Amino acid sequence: MDTRHFEPDRIRNIGIIAHIDAGKTTTTERMLFYSGFAHKIGSVDNGTAITDWMDQERERGITIVSAAITTQWREHQINIIDTPGHIDFTAEVQRALRVLDGGIVVFDGVHGVESQSETVWRQAERYQVPRICFINKMDRVGASFDRALASIRKRLLVEPVPINLPAGEEQDFDGVVDVLTMELIRWPDNLGAHPERSALPQAWVATAEAARQRLFEAICETDDALLERYLADKPIELPEWRAALRRATLDNRLYPVLCGAALRNIGIQPLLDAVVDYLPSPLDRREVTGHHPQTGTLEHWPLRQDQPLCALVFKTVTDPYAGQMAYIRVYSGELRSGEQAFNPRTGDKVRIGRLVRVFADQREDIDAIPAGEIDAVVGLKAVHTGDTLCAFDHPLVLESIQFPDPVINIAIEPLATRDKDELDRALRELMEEDPTFRVHVDHDSGQTILSGMGELHLEILIDRIEREHQVKLRSGAPLVTYKETVSRPVSRIEGRYIHQSGGRGQYGHVFVDLRPGKPGSGIVFRDRIKGGVVPAAFIPAVEKGVREGAQTGLHHGQELTDIEVSLVDGSTHTVDSSELAFKNAGFQAFRKAALEAGPVLLEPVCRIEVVTPEEHLGDVLGQLNARRCEVLGTEPRADGTHDILGMVPLAEMFGYATDLRSATRGRALFTLEFDHYSPVPDKLAAKLATTTPADRKRL
């Protein structure tokens, strides 16, 4: 394994992202083989994929955790992160995209853009990650390059520019046309290790010329200087076109598209070339932005090794032999073993221990992590996902990583009482690794409640507890996480906490306004005090009381959310006022206001996409309607199937996979992705109100 350090302009930090079953891991395995990292091609089906190293991944044939691996191509170092495609593990995609410079988005040649394709694309948009597209599975029945391109334009609202065209489709697919060089690339041997370039057959010339013309025109629209030369019929060399396409890709104005069939070893070498030619190096990011931990001022640091240290911890895992291991992206400076770094979140210095370069589940020791690289630190304590490590005399806090809230719960308990301590340790380690996994003890039943992103997410976590920590568990049926909000605004609701005990008493007095907030906004607290009627020193205590008041619901015992609370008035006592008194006054005012504002129960609603054969369309629609699904539309596909899009309450989807298989004889597929919270119908809310949280969470 090669552990040498490359210059930053010869480094590519990329992620492989896609909908589940689009072929991400298969594509990654071929990239590792042809770049010389692996001596044989791993297989997802056979459980031999290098990047799917967990037992659960190999058994299920899916990626569960993002795997980092380093390889080389054309004298460039490529740090690859293969991410999961299943929506339950979206946190793995989110934190990978936070630190990556570029991405390869893999699409299924038959289905084009699918539901999770849109999700990962939006995540990449948030961090402004430049992308190239790889349309995979062009050898499958029903594959269509043009249809896949059209779905990218329609559903992602971007401009894809093909730099490869398929040489044939479905069973006739055996190579690609290089649009820039006007050559045909074929892979004559089954191993696909030695592609052959040849002159383009006459039958392909007209199609390739038209695609080349469209490519040049799209590039010119992003480059005024090149456009002037193009319109004046002045010669433009191929390297100039490549450089202009690279600039447009880095600016997220164009998205180069390639195609292939990873399982048949076709199209991978041009994809590796495109990674080097069009995706950014760390230097292309130019600077990193953060804020000073004390002053809060915005700061911009250049991405250079001669600058002070600035690095982001984007993932932590627990190694069974070495303890905690933190994956780190170094943006500037250099992280060296034996030196100290500063963690602004805790205000403490941390000693840097053993540094390693990660190759999936294998590691090699290195002496330093220079700017631009992604590696790991073993044994780093008191560091969490999203923490910044920087120089003590140049503190900086980078933007952390925002993760979605869990939407599903399950109650567990160990079969043997003696395993309780080991269970607690296992849960702490898993929460450190996975920010979307939460654990709490239910106050009514005393049970341990696990919260996650979906049934599969919790199933995997329970399996890991039993395998890795040898703790046998008893678990109950999964339960939906409901929330509460309010339906109308109320004004000047009073909260008073006055207590006299003979000596110094307690006095807190506030008025609040309350109104419904934007979906997903949580609890927003605003200070609208004028004239200092409530001293500034007590306002944080009022906010704390408001937030504590939102933790438990009013009628259903669920957390209150999406509410805007404004502190508008109050009074104080020169002797008796205290932070505790104002916190209690804020608590009382919020609870009283929320009761008057019309509490509403919210349930998680998911975006569902079902692909079913046409002959089962009516049955599938009937099932969805029975589960309170709002069908947004149906769309026929060229392969004789129908695509159904809709919004459905998560509470109605338990057991749906079995029902769908029965109705379609196992021929239909569906994906489910959390979208938003929505009010529960009155009849269902009334029914839920008759049961306590303890009843609903009992094993």
Side-chain angles (χ1 to χ4, degrees):
M1 297 179 185
D2 193 344
T3 58
R4 59 182 165 146
H5 296 299
F6 284 69
E7 291 298 317
D9 64 334
R10 290 187 169 270
I11 295 175
R12 301 290 184 270
N13 296 310
I14 66 166
I16 315 292
I17 57 178
H19 182 89
I20 190 170
D21 287 336
K24 296 179 309 303
T25 302
T26 302
T27 301
T28 304
E29 291 297 317
R30 270 63 180 174
M31 293 173 71
L32 296 176
F33 176 73
Y34 298 132
S35 62
F37 175 84
H39 300 295
K40 63 179 181 179
I41 299 176
S43 168
V44 175
D45 294 335
N46 296 334
T48 57
I50 296 171
T51 53
D52 283 352
W53 54 270
M54 291 177 61
D55 291 339
Q56 292 88 346
E57 293 178 312
R58 290 174 172 168
E59 290 169 1
R60 290 169 170 81
I62 61 172
T63 302
I64 294 171
V65 296
S66 55
I69 202 158
T70 300
T71 189
Q72 286 87 41
W73 182 257
R74 283 173 40 191
E75 289 302 310
H76 285 68
Q77 174 180 313
I78 303 179
N79 299 319
I80 302 173
I81 297 184
D82 178 30
T83 64
H86 199 287
I87 188 60
D88 282 16
F89 310 108
T90 186
E92 293 288 325
V93 183
Q94 200 137 328
R95 57 182 166 192
L97 288 172
R98 171 64 181 83
V99 297
L100 292 173
D101 298 321
I104 300 174
V105 189
V106 182
F107 298 96
D108 188 312
V110 177
H111 301 303
V113 176
E114 300 173 88
S115 58
Q116 185 66 358
S117 308
E118 293 187 65
T119 300
V120 297
W121 191 274
R122 289 196 303 268
Q123 289 172 326
E125 285 283 352
R126 178 182 177 189
Y127 296 115
Q128 290 297 296
V129 176
R131 280 140 280 166
I132 59 177
C133 304
F134 181 65
I135 299 178
N136 190 28
K137 302 187 179 182
M138 288 304 302
D139 58 326
R140 287 186 57 193
V141 174
S144 170
F145 185 74
D146 291 337
R147 192 170 63 245
L149 277 180
S151 70
I152 293 173
R153 290 191 185 96
K154 179 181 177 182
R155 296 184 64 170
L156 303 181
L157 303 176
V158 296
E159 185 55 41
V161 286
I163 58 175
N164 276 356
L165 297 176
E169 289 182 346
E170 299 183 340
Q171 66 271 16
D172 297 326
F173 177 73
D174 64 351
V176 300
V177 175
D178 188 326
V179 173
L180 283 167
T181 64
M182 295 293 285
E183 293 177 311
L184 178 64
I185 311 174
R186 280 201 167 101
W187 284 260
D189 59 309
N190 290 333
L191 201 58
H194 304 288
E196 293 181 354
R197 288 178 173 264
S198 60
L200 199 59
Q202 192 61 38
W204 285 99
V205 170
T207 302
E209 280 285 4
R212 196 171 195 247
Q213 194 76 11
R214 288 193 296 270
L215 173 61
F216 287 168
E217 290 172 358
I219 295 173
C220 286
E221 288 179 5
T222 68
D223 191 312
D224 291 339
L226 210 61
L227 177 60
E228 287 183 16
R229 294 171 57 190
Y230 183 72
L231 293 176
D233 287 330
K234 293 182 179 179
I236 302 174
E237 300 298 325
L238 190 57
E240 294 180 274
W241 286 116
R242 291 190 192 278
L245 178 56
R246 175 182 174 81
R247 289 192 297 270
T249 303
L250 299 189
D251 290 339
N252 284 303
R253 299 182 68 182
L254 294 178
Y255 300 89
V257 180
L258 301 94
C259 61
L263 193 62
R264 283 181 53 196
N265 309 320
I266 297 176
I268 302 302
Q269 290 90 342
L271 181 61
L272 284 164
D273 287 335
V275 168
V276 171
D277 291 337
Y278 305 118
L279 289 183
S281 74
L283 294 181
D284 291 312
R285 295 192 64 154
R286 299 184 184 88
E287 63 182 20
V288 64
T289 303
H291 67 270
H292 193 282
Q294 278 81 44
T295 65
T297 56
L298 196 65
E299 298 190 12
H300 303 272
W301 282 14
L303 304 184
R304 294 204 308 265
Q305 195 167 329
D306 59 359
Q307 292 292 310
L309 172 68
C310 180
L312 182 70
V313 177
F314 68 94
K315 181 177 178 177
T316 60
V317 298
T318 302
D319 185 278
Y321 304 106
Q324 185 169 328
M325 184 170 73
Y327 286 80
I328 289 181
R329 165 70 192 268
V330 177
Y331 288 99
S332 70
E334 186 177 57
L335 200 66
R336 298 195 68 86
S337 179
E339 295 184 352
Q340 287 187 329
F342 178 62
N343 184 346
R345 180 183 62 83
T346 62
D348 297 328
K349 291 183 179 180
V350 293
R351 183 174 178 81
I352 306 302
R354 178 185 168 203
L355 302 178
V356 295
R357 178 159 294 167
V358 181
F359 303 92
D361 60 338
Q362 301 181 46
R363 299 178 279 281
E364 291 289 334
D365 289 343
I366 54 178
D367 57 351
I369 308 176
E373 293 204 8
I374 295 176
D375 291 302
V377 184
V378 177
L380 203 59
K381 296 181 179 179
V383 171
H384 302 313
T385 297
D387 281 356
T388 302
L389 297 181
C390 58
F392 186 77
D393 54 349
H394 289 83
L396 183 77
V397 178
L398 299 175
E399 179 192 357
S400 190
I401 309 170
Q402 302 299 320
F403 298 103
D405 291 329
V407 295
I408 193 168
N409 297 332
I410 193 170
I412 64 163
E413 60 183 30
L415 288 179
T417 306
R418 64 178 180 273
D419 288 336
K420 188 178 186 310
D421 290 342
E422 181 61 27
L423 173 61
D424 291 342
R425 186 171 72 86
L427 293 175
R428 282 195 303 271
E429 290 181 1
L430 290 172
M431 280 195 292
E432 284 287 335
E433 292 184 19
D434 187 347
T436 60
F437 173 51
R438 313 272 175 83
V439 179
H440 73 276
V441 176
D442 183 80
H443 296 297
D444 297 307
S445 66
Q447 291 176 326
T448 299
I449 308 297
L450 310 188
S451 302
M453 299 304 298
E455 290 181 87
L456 180 60
H457 186 202
L458 293 178
E459 179 187 329
I460 295 294
L461 289 168
I462 290 173
D463 190 38
R464 289 187 62 187
I465 292 171
E466 294 187 335
R467 289 194 192 195
E468 297 172 17
H469 299 271
Q470 287 80 50
V471 177
K472 295 298 182 183
L473 299 175
R474 180 188 295 113
S475 60
L479 292 153
V480 170
T481 301
Y482 291 91
K483 292 188 178 184
E484 290 185 63
T485 190
V486 296
S487 58
R488 59 180 179 268
V490 293
S491 300
R492 290 190 63 82
I493 304 300
E494 184 181 27
R496 296 166 58 93
Y497 184 77
I498 300 175
H499 181 69
Q500 298 295 334
S501 58
R504 178 176 176 177
Q506 296 287 345
Y507 185 96
H509 180 215
V510 298
F511 290 90
V512 300
D513 291 351
L514 184 147
R515 65 179 183 181
K518 295 179 180 178
S521 62
I523 301 295
V524 178
F525 180 83
R526 303 190 188 282
D527 172 16
R528 300 195 186 279
I529 290 294
K530 296 180 181 179
V533 291
V534 175
F538 295 142
I539 291 175
V542 178
E543 180 179 0
K544 186 176 181 181
V546 166
R547 295 192 181 280
E548 285 187 6
Q551 292 302 307
T552 56
L554 303 171
H555 299 312
H556 302 275
Q558 309 297 328
E559 178 186 357
L560 284 152
T561 188
D562 299 345
I563 300 174
E564 184 177 313
V565 184
S566 298
L567 176 61
V568 295
D569 202 355
S571 63
T572 184
H573 190 281
T574 54
V575 176
D576 292 347
S577 289
S578 66
E579 290 186 4
L580 176 62
F582 273 95
K583 187 189 84 166
N584 288 334
F587 180 93
Q588 291 180 9
F590 174 80
R591 302 286 292 185
K592 190 188 300 183
L595 282 168
E596 292 187 21
V600 175
L601 185 65
L602 301 175
E603 63 181 346
V605 175
C606 296
R607 179 184 177 88
I608 187 171
E609 182 173 356
V610 185
V611 180
T612 179
E614 185 174 8
E615 59 265 35
H616 300 296
L617 180 61
D619 293 335
V620 173
L621 287 172
Q623 285 184 339
L624 290 174
N625 288 330
R627 293 174 181 266
R628 296 196 286 128
C629 178
E630 177 190 356
V631 176
L632 302 178
T634 63
E635 186 175 331
R637 294 187 171 189
D639 59 357
T641 62
H642 273 258
D643 200 359
I644 305 171
L645 295 175
M647 293 290 180
V648 62
L650 177 61
E652 301 289 346
M653 294 308 292
F654 296 116
Y656 178 65
T658 302
D659 290 347
L660 183 65
R661 280 195 294 266
S662 299
T664 64
R665 300 177 183 176
R667 298 173 64 194
L669 301 170
F670 81 98
T671 56
L672 201 65
E673 174 189 354
F674 169 72
D675 191 85
H676 65 281
Y677 273 88
S678 181
V680 175
D682 292 340
K683 288 185 178 180
L684 180 58
K687 181 179 179 181
L688 290 171
T690 61
T691 61
T692 66
D695 293 331
R696 295 196 295 271
K697 292 174 182 174
R698 186 171 292 122
L699 289 175

